[in-house]
Amino acid sequence: MRFIDIISHEAAKNKLRSFVDNNRIPHAILIEGQPGIGKFALARAFAQYIHCENPQNGDSCGQCPSCIQHQSFNHIDTHFIFPIIKKGSGKVSISDNFIEEWREYLGQNPYMDFEKWLITLDNANAQPHIYVDESADIMRKLNFTAHKAKYKIVLLWLPERMKIECSNKLLKLIEEPYHDTIFIMVSNDAKQILPTIYSRTQRIELLRLGDDAIANYLVQKYAIGQNDAISIAHIAEGNINKAEKEITLSKDTSKYLSMFIELMRLAYQRKIHELKRWSYDVATLGREQETQFLNYCQRLIRENFIYNLNVAELNYMNHNEAQFSINFAHFISERNVIKLMEVLNKALIDISGNANAKIVFFDLSVKIILLLKS
């Protein structure tokens, strides 16, 4: 991973470069911020820059033996620590037990989607942690001098998931570091890190990615239209992982739009019998898709209300949504928008609470009849 491969964060890149270029690298660095913005990718690029044998123009060369080893996650003086699940009682619980799975995951998920790590661990309901065994293992590794590079580097993903016993033992290493060791930690929730560790790190906070940066990334990677990319980027709220999930859900989004259009047309025409049939059809989706559909409805109501302001840059709809809104938006106004959001949110709460979906959606459709006419 090189700095050039990472979206945005130019100020943070420059700060990390200056540490290396001025030979003033802190012994413990914490990169913090919301998920899906490239924090761990930046940590990897920084580690590669430190070890690069021929850095060029403020970046690693990508071609020397050290860079090649970094790119395959096999650099001998780079150690990974990350949350894992226990394999069984009596067994040592350390990251090296999952190193092959970790390398495969890193190769496919540069923006570190935590849900995909759970899938890689083959336990989507797990609560992975960094256990006390990890502290003894990393101390053993760091007792040896660096093999090829000037520094040994520990890349620690999600220190907030360290068990308290592990945190306390690693604290001594961070307080009294080896002269040739650098800890680079990456956190999604720095408030949960042991305060004594947090206070001893050089902290770099990354801001969320801008919508334009995410949109350009999506256009280049998935070859989608710029308008659709901007719409997805807005929904993603700065998180690349959420944006990519929206891409994979594009078929569902198209289905949800069709369901929304049918609901609004039948409600406007007051076709009670057909709305009852619509309610039964939606109720067959299953709770997860039903909640996704209701969230989608709320977003589209908001977008149609904003559409009436006639400020195009405030709207984040894909082409098909925008085409429907040309004629539909004038039905959504200050007279009914709050009530519409309230009944949709009430339906969402009821569905999440395992209420009878047929009743919930039919009740919703009847209320929408009244609200569209208000």
Side-chain angles (χ1 to χ4, degrees), residues 66-112:
S66 287
C67 285
I68 292 170
Q69 289 167 15
H70 267 281
Q71 289 159 11
S72 61
F73 319 113
N74 279 301
H75 194 281
I76 194 168
D77 291 315
T78 302
H79 307 286
F80 293 104
I81 296 177
F82 45 88
I84 61 169
I85 56 176
K86 288 195 172 185
K87 283 197 169 183
S89 59
K91 292 187 178 180
V92 176
S93 299
I94 58 176
S95 300
D96 280 357
N97 293 342
F98 294 88
I99 196 64
E100 292 306 319
E101 294 92 335
W102 174 250
R103 287 170 179 153
E104 181 180 357
Y105 170 77
L106 284 182
Q108 297 175 359
N109 298 279
Y111 287 89
M112 309 301 285

Side-chain angles (χ1 to χ4, degrees), residues 90-276:
K91 292 187 178 180
V92 176
S93 299
I94 58 176
S95 300
D96 280 357
N97 293 342
F98 294 88
I99 196 64
E100 292 306 319
E101 294 92 335
W102 174 250
R103 287 170 179 153
E104 181 180 357
Y105 170 77
L106 284 182
Q108 297 175 359
N109 298 279
Y111 287 89
M112 309 301 285
D113 187 329
F114 187 72
E115 291 180 9
K116 290 184 179 178
W117 176 235
L118 296 181
I119 294 170
T120 302
L121 291 173
D122 199 25
N123 192 336
N125 297 314
Q127 288 295 322
H129 293 286
I130 300 170
Y131 296 94
V132 66
D133 294 336
E134 198 74 64
S135 57
D137 186 62
I138 197 63
M139 287 178 183
R140 177 187 62 79
K141 292 174 180 175
L142 297 180
N143 272 326
F144 297 97
T145 57
H147 291 79
K148 292 184 63 179
K150 181 179 179 180
Y151 293 104
K152 295 168 289 186
I153 297 176
V154 179
L155 286 170
L156 198 164
W157 185 46
L158 305 184
E160 60 268 27
R161 287 189 168 265
M162 282 194 289
K163 290 289 192 178
I164 188 66
E165 301 90 345
C166 181
S167 293
N168 286 330
K169 289 196 173 185
L170 284 183
L171 176 60
K172 183 174 177 59
L173 267 181
I174 294 170
E175 287 181 321
E176 302 174 12
Y178 296 104
H179 73 281
D180 63 347
T181 298
I182 300 167
F183 278 85
I184 307 173
M185 303 180 226
V186 173
S187 172
N188 291 342
D189 188 4
K191 296 188 296 295
Q192 301 302 317
I193 300 172
L194 187 72
T196 45
I197 288 181
Y198 184 78
S199 65
R200 286 163 174 78
T201 60
Q202 172 75 52
R203 296 180 292 278
I204 298 176
E205 183 176 3
L206 300 191
L207 302 178
R208 58 156 283 177
L209 294 170
D211 290 352
D212 287 343
I214 292 182
N216 290 337
Y217 171 86
L218 296 176
V219 168
Q220 292 174 17
K221 183 171 181 180
Y222 295 99
I224 64 174
Q226 185 70 29
N227 289 341
D228 288 350
I230 284 286
S231 176
I232 291 170
H234 178 67
I235 296 167
E237 299 176 324
N239 187 325
I240 286 283
N241 295 325
K242 286 180 67 174
E244 293 191 316
K245 285 174 184 174
E246 287 295 327
I247 292 284
T248 61
L249 289 172
S250 58
K251 290 183 179 178
D252 284 337
T253 299
S254 178
K255 176 176 66 178
Y256 295 155
L257 175 60
S258 297
M259 291 162 53
F260 180 86
I261 291 173
E262 185 177 14
L263 168 62
M264 295 303 161
R265 285 178 175 166
L266 293 176
Y268 179 76
Q269 295 167 4
R270 301 190 176 211
K271 294 187 175 181
I272 302 295
H273 180 74
E274 292 187 40
L275 282 171
K276 185 176 182 180

